[in-house]
Amino acid sequence: MERRIPRDLVNADVAVRRYGDLGHRWLDGMWHGDPLADAVVADDFGASSATEAVRAALAGGIDSVADAPESLRMLFKFLDDEPDWVDHDRLDNAADALVRHTPILGMVLGAASLVRGAGNEIAGKPLALTGRYVSQPAVRSVEVGEWLRHVLTRGGMRRDAAGFAFTVRVRLIHAHVRRGILASGRWDEEAWGVPIPQSYMALTMAEFGHIAVEAMEMLGVRFTDEERDDIYHLWRYVGHVIGMSDDLNLCKEADHLLVEELYRLTSPGPSDDDRDFVVALTGDYLVPELANLLPGNERFSRAVSKTLMYGLQRVFIGDADADALRIPDGPVKHVLRRIGPALALVNRIQDLRYPDRERVTLRAYKGRDVSMERMRADYRVEHDLVDAAPH
């Protein structure tokens, strides 16, 4: 049986030859969105809306929604049936491990994960078409940070917790974007597959998983084997809740690596929209945030931060991909590539100075929350997710 392959995807034959069944699943995933959530946003909720009904069901259960349509009942039948493999102690351990390194995590999610994702013009098209790709990258980053704050919290992904609810809201946002773009007539499905497909959802999980972990380790963070496994366990469950099918949901580090390879292999490369996004993200958000961590006056810290950020981006994604995105080059990347062991030694000394791990972790949670409130104030963000943003 001949498979449909999005016209603008490249190296599809190589993907199948090199990755076998996974290559087939990757290509097939380009045609699949999220049937459960897509059915909800396409349904008729009368005087209410899909967004309001989902929020009500999250808060009070599906039976609290009067005349809930079958689409909503099917979605919550899925959401309320927690998989047997979920271990909330492991999710909490992952949250603790990541939050203890909040400043570095925040930096790499922007400079490594988002920049890595920007190397594929098909993946970036949904945001480009909504007009949110280049505009207000700092606001979008705060929205992601707000979601992440609730996910990376002890108990945050339990059914009645905020991290779970925020993740379901993100799932519905994706479905609304998918529906809106398809209805606009501006989407070339034969060239690009469906908007926000399963394949690119898998890459998003890798952005928060292995891509972030690898970049953090380049900057001296040393996770234990148990912590790494638990981090991947966390993102497996987040992927499940956010609408990933079992065909492509990532279970372990090896899965993350394979999806990253397939993403790069089949990508047609970045477009000018992607390059504009990296410029906006770097100038409007990453450089100011890094400058906040540096001493000296604002003019000096901004100048140093810009040079350091370009260097970090090149270290994280490699020179070839950085060239494609037109990220400025410079010698500082050579220094940054060798700084990991020194920073790891600093972290080890800190661990010896403050051996009470529980106290350090609780302080990190408090510091993370203070930092989020500071960013909300700095960038004048009064909402949490885009579904609550003023129009």
Side-chain angles (χ1 to χ4, degrees):
M1 174 180 168
E2 186 176 352
R3 279 182 161 80
R4 290 173 67 207
I5 298 171
R7 187 175 62 248
D8 287 359
L9 220 60
V10 302
N11 296 321
D13 55 338
V14 180
V16 172
R17 187 167 65 248
R18 188 178 297 173
Y19 296 94
D21 179 62
L22 177 61
H24 284 302
R25 283 183 278 134
W26 176 263
L27 297 174
D28 289 345
M30 293 294 298
W31 301 106
H32 297 289
D34 178 357
L36 289 176
D38 291 342
V40 170
V41 302
D43 219 329
D44 181 6
F45 287 83
S48 183
S49 68
T51 298
E52 292 172 352
V54 166
R55 290 197 188 191
L58 283 168
I62 187 63
D63 291 336
S64 68
V65 181
D67 300 320
E70 184 64 16
S71 62
L72 190 66
R73 291 190 176 277
M74 292 297 293
L75 175 62
F76 275 84
K77 180 180 179 181
F78 172 88
L79 292 171
D80 291 336
D81 184 17
E82 184 177 277
D84 293 338
W85 49 261
V86 177
D87 184 333
H88 285 279
D89 288 338
R90 294 183 64 189
L91 302 188
D92 291 349
N93 187 45
D96 288 352
L98 290 168
V99 169
R100 281 194 290 269
H101 303 284
T102 290
I104 293 178
L105 174 62
M107 185 186 305
V108 303
L109 286 175
S113 300
L114 287 178
V115 176
R116 168 65 72 200
N120 184 330
E121 66 170 309
I122 301 175
K125 285 186 184 296
L127 271 175
L129 290 174
T130 63
R132 298 201 87 220
Y133 203 24
V134 175
S135 66
Q136 297 184 305
V139 173
R140 285 184 48 227
S141 297
V142 172
E143 292 167 353
V144 172
E146 195 63 44
W147 165 70
L148 201 61
R149 166 160 53 165
H150 295 288
V151 169
L152 297 184
T153 297
R154 291 174 181 175
M157 286 302 294
R158 292 190 179 275
R159 171 59 182 85
D160 59 350
F164 186 97
F166 269 63
T167 303
V168 175
R169 286 172 60 191
V170 171
R171 181 174 185 171
L172 206 69
I173 291 166
H174 288 168
H176 276 295
V177 170
R178 198 179 292 114
R179 177 175 170 79
I181 288 175
L182 289 173
S184 73
R186 295 183 294 164
W187 186 262
D188 187 344
E189 190 166 334
E190 290 303 311
W192 308 324
V194 301
I196 318 178
Q198 286 286 319
S199 303
Y200 293 163
M201 289 167 64
L203 189 277
T204 299
M205 294 300 101
E207 288 177 345
F208 288 99
H210 174 262
I211 294 174
V213 167
E214 180 182 54
M216 292 175 77
E217 292 185 340
M218 288 180 182
L219 295 182
V221 175
R222 295 294 181 262
F223 293 113
T224 66
D225 290 343
E226 180 183 15
E227 287 171 340
R228 288 171 69 98
D229 289 344
D230 290 347
I231 289 169
Y232 296 127
H233 185 72
L234 167 67
W235 293 114
R236 179 187 180 187
Y237 186 47
V238 171
H240 173 83
V241 175
I242 214 167
M244 286 295 310
S245 72
D246 291 340
D247 282 346
L248 283 175
N249 199 10
L250 313 180
C251 301
K252 53 188 183 298
E253 183 174 78
D255 300 329
H256 288 240
L257 288 165
L258 291 171
V259 159
E260 291 169 40
E261 292 169 10
L262 279 162
Y263 183 77
R264 294 183 67 191
L265 176 67
T266 58
S267 166
S271 67
D272 286 340
D273 284 331
D274 301 299
R275 297 183 187 99
D276 290 344
F277 164 68
V278 172
V279 170
L281 175 71
T282 303
D284 295 351
Y285 179 69
L286 295 177
V287 168
E289 288 303 305
L290 181 56
N292 283 331
L293 303 176
L294 300 180
N297 62 49
E298 182 177 355
R299 182 177 179 182
F300 172 80
S301 61
R302 286 288 183 102
V304 172
S305 295
K306 182 179 289 188
T307 300
L308 288 175
M309 188 53 63
Y310 289 145
L312 285 169
Q313 289 170 343
R314 284 190 163 266
V315 168
F316 292 148
I317 72 170
D319 283 326
D321 289 339
D323 287 343
L325 287 166
R326 297 176 190 161
I327 295 171
D329 202 352
V332 72
K333 68 184 181 184
H334 301 299
V335 177
L336 294 172
R337 284 193 179 112
R338 294 169 173 78
I339 203 171
L343 293 176
L345 178 60
V346 171
N347 289 334
R348 178 58 180 158
I349 293 171
Q350 288 291 94
D351 289 342
L352 294 174
R353 286 184 63 193
Y354 304 102
D356 188 341
R357 179 58 65 92
E358 177 66 11
R359 185 176 180 183
V360 168
T361 302
L362 293 177
R363 185 180 301 157
Y365 276 109
K366 291 179 181 178
R368 187 269 306 273
D369 292 343
V370 169
S371 178
M372 274 303 306
E373 292 307 316
R374 189 269 305 163
M375 285 193 292
R376 291 175 64 85
D378 284 354
Y379 300 108
R380 299 187 177 95
V381 180
E382 297 182 359
H383 60 280
D384 48 24
L385 298 181
V386 67
D387 62 352
H391 295 289

